[in-house]
């Protein structure tokens, strides 16, 4: 069941497109939260690692964060492209 505001949208007859939109918004919001988390927590902690251990720490950080970020980025890209190509065009006159 789609929410009332979603049914009022142009593609109301297309529940699969509405689901893609909801999924896209959800992944975008997750990415925004993740970006803020990294900016506020991870990056400031890089300074605490020290020069001798920074390279290994950064390598582990990159590997671990990619496991979380890559699927979200792929899903966000895929749903964005689906919306781009499937969204009905509205000409206002």
């Amino acid at each position: 069941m789609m929410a009332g505001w979603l049914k009022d949208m142009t593609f109301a007859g297309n529940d699969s497109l509405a689901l893609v939109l909801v999924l896209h918004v959800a992944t975008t919001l997750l990415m925004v939260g993740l970006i803020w988390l990294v900016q506020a927590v991870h990056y400031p902690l890089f300074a605490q690692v020290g020069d001798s251990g920074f390279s290994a720490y950064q390598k582990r950080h990159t590997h671990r964060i990619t496991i979380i970020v890559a699927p979200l980025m792929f899903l966000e890209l895929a749903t964005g492209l689906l919306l781009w190509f499937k969204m009905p065009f509205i000409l206002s006159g």
Side-chain angles (χ1 to χ4, degrees):
M1 261 179 118
M2 292 292 154
W5 64 268
L6 200 51
K7 286 195 177 277
D8 293 340
M9 298 183 83
T10 306
F11 50 85
N14 191 343
D15 284 346
S16 62
L17 191 57
L19 181 62
V20 170
L21 175 64
V22 170
L23 192 56
H24 183 72
V25 170
T27 54
T28 299
L29 292 174
L30 283 169
M31 285 298 295
V32 168
L34 186 59
I35 289 166
W36 276 102
L37 176 73
V38 170
Q39 292 288 329
V41 176
H42 291 243
Y43 289 162
L45 290 175
F46 279 2
Q48 304 299 316
V49 176
D51 291 339
S52 62
F54 181 78
S55 181
Y57 178 83
Q58 192 272 339
K59 186 176 181 180
R60 286 191 311 267
H61 175 269
T62 301
H63 174 72
R64 290 180 178 186
I65 202 76
T66 299
I67 293 169
I68 298 167
V69 172
L72 288 174
M73 288 176 71
F74 176 74
L75 189 56
E76 187 178 29
L77 175 65
T79 55
L81 289 172
L82 278 170
L83 289 171
W84 178 270
F85 289 110
K86 297 292 184 180
M87 182 76 75
F89 291 98
I90 301 170
L91 299 175
S92 58

